[in-house]
Amino acid sequence: MNTTHLNELLDHLLGMQERDSLEEALRDLLTPAELTEVCNRLQILRMLEAGVPQREIAKQLGVGIATVTRGARALKIKQQQRLP
């Protein structure tokens, strides 16, 4: 990933002062399917953190188990990075 482009994206989103402006920016940048996917991934992380089993998450959100497993792997890496 091009870090310059990522930084530009982050700066653009951080520049949004209002919730409506941020939503509009996301809708301008993402297709409806991409926005749904991003929202689902956030819910996956939250549900994993709450201890919901992976198969239940997949069922509730209507996503594949591989998507949930990807989230679990990302969460595990994040937790390992926090350890001293």
Side-chain angles (χ1 to χ4, degrees):
M1 176 179 295
N2 184 317
T3 56
T4 301
H5 293 165
L6 176 59
N7 287 334
E8 288 179 9
L9 172 62
L10 294 173
D11 290 342
H12 178 72
L13 295 175
L14 286 169
M16 301 296 126
Q17 299 295 317
E18 303 291 330
R19 183 184 185 97
D20 289 346
S21 298
L22 181 55
E23 181 181 342
E24 184 179 343
L26 289 172
R27 290 185 184 280
D28 288 344
L29 292 168
L30 303 171
T31 66
E34 291 167 335
L35 187 56
T36 297
E37 182 69 20
V38 169
C39 292
N40 279 342
R41 288 182 185 227
L42 176 59
Q43 293 308 307
I44 288 167
L45 292 176
R46 288 188 172 167
M47 293 171 85
L48 286 167
E49 288 173 335
V52 178
Q54 289 188 29
R55 292 198 184 280
E56 182 61 28
I57 294 170
K59 181 180 174 184
Q60 284 186 30
L61 296 178
V63 299
I65 192 68
T67 302
V68 180
T69 301
R70 180 185 182 280
R73 192 169 39 250
L75 189 60
K76 182 177 179 181
I77 290 168
K78 185 178 175 180
Q79 290 170 343
Q80 289 174 341
Q81 291 172 343
R82 290 183 188 158
L83 296 176

